Amino acid sequence: MAASLDFIEAPSPNFDTRRAPPDLIVLHYTGMQTGEAALARLRDPEAKVSSHYMVEEDGRIFRLVPEERRAWHAGRSWWRGETDINAVSIGVEIVNPGHEFGYRTFPEAQVDAVIALVGDIRSRWEIDNARI
């Protein structure tokens, strides 16, 4: 499946060492007015936030942090006893202005890209349905 996905490389400096292989995929929406603004923030060293991927409304997929590294997307969070979600997850930001800036329906091209990306990630890591 990986061969069918085209990634736009947009490296972020905001990552560190992963302590365990990922076994979660965390999907977020950006909550910013534009995809360009979200991408800039995810790549800004002062912001100290990132994700592994960002999916634009037109279906373009930006790769920001290598999956082998710990991106900073989940903040203070926990799930099923895990208290460092960043350390054990792959983060995907989905461009959408969110409720603050006029939440809108996710376009079909974006949904299709997210589905393909999640399938691609799952094919490379042992991520089961119970955790995502």
Side-chain angles (χ1 to χ4, degrees):
M1 186 174 220
S4 65
L5 294 179
D6 291 321
F7 298 113
I8 299 167
E9 300 297 335
S12 172
N14 302 328
F15 64 89
D16 54 20
T17 304
R18 186 183 287 289
R19 68 170 167 75
D23 67 355
L24 287 168
I25 300 172
V26 179
L27 304 177
H28 311 263
Y29 70 81
T30 57
M32 296 185 72
Q33 291 181 327
T34 67
E36 293 82 12
L39 187 60
R41 180 160 176 83
L42 292 166
R43 297 176 70 200
D44 178 0
E46 297 295 317
K48 297 185 190 300
V49 296
S50 61
S51 65
H52 294 91
Y53 299 97
M54 187 186 86
V55 182
E56 255 294 3
E57 291 181 297
D58 61 7
R60 289 177 293 150
I61 302 171
F62 293 85
R63 183 168 30 204
L64 288 83
V65 172
E67 292 178 7
E68 296 78 21
R69 301 289 184 241
R70 179 180 174 271
W72 306 336
H73 59 92
R76 290 183 170 211
S77 53
W78 59 272
W79 177 252
R80 295 187 176 176
E82 177 58 61
T83 59
D84 183 2
I85 299 302
N86 286 330
V88 296
S89 67
I90 303 288
V92 178
E93 291 285 347
I94 304 166
V95 173
N96 189 288
H99 300 287
E100 184 177 351
F101 299 112
Y103 184 89
R104 56 185 173 255
T105 302
F106 296 92
E108 186 174 342
Q110 187 179 42
V111 171
D112 291 345
V114 170
I115 290 169
L117 177 59
V118 167
D120 183 62
I121 294 166
R122 288 184 65 210
S123 74
R124 286 190 310 285
W125 299 97
E126 293 184 27
I127 298 175
D128 65 46
N129 288 322
R131 300 264 319 214
I132 61 172

